[in-house]
Amino acid sequence: MRKKSAVVLNQAITNLEELKKEYEEKGDSFNVRLISNMINDKYQELQLVKKESGE
């Protein structure tokens, strides 16, 4: 289950990074900051999952 959670979190991070690039191209700094915060949250969740699974 934890491995699946890590895979889902990695995919979410990838999707958010792609979305962030789109907003960077548009020059939308508000949404870039918002998405950056979301990416950071997902990285923190991923670290917790890894820590719980002993990786």
Side-chain angles (χ1 to χ4, degrees):
M1 182 67 175
R2 288 188 180 116
K3 184 170 184 163
K4 187 173 183 179
S5 294
V7 171
V8 170
L9 285 168
N10 277 321
Q11 186 61 48
I13 290 167
T14 300
N15 291 343
L16 286 167
E17 287 172 341
E18 290 174 11
L19 189 60
K20 180 181 169 187
K21 286 178 190 173
E22 290 178 25
Y23 281 110
E24 285 173 337
E25 290 172 2
K26 294 178 185 177
D28 188 340
S29 61
F30 175 79
N31 280 317
V32 169
R33 284 192 312 259
L34 183 65
I35 294 169
S36 293
N37 289 338
M38 294 170 71
I39 291 169
N40 288 336
D41 290 344
K42 295 295 179 196
Y43 272 123
Q44 288 176 356
E45 286 180 55
L46 183 59
Q47 293 306 314
L48 285 174
V49 168
K50 286 181 177 182
K51 185 177 179 180
E52 290 173 357
S53 68
E55 290 184 22

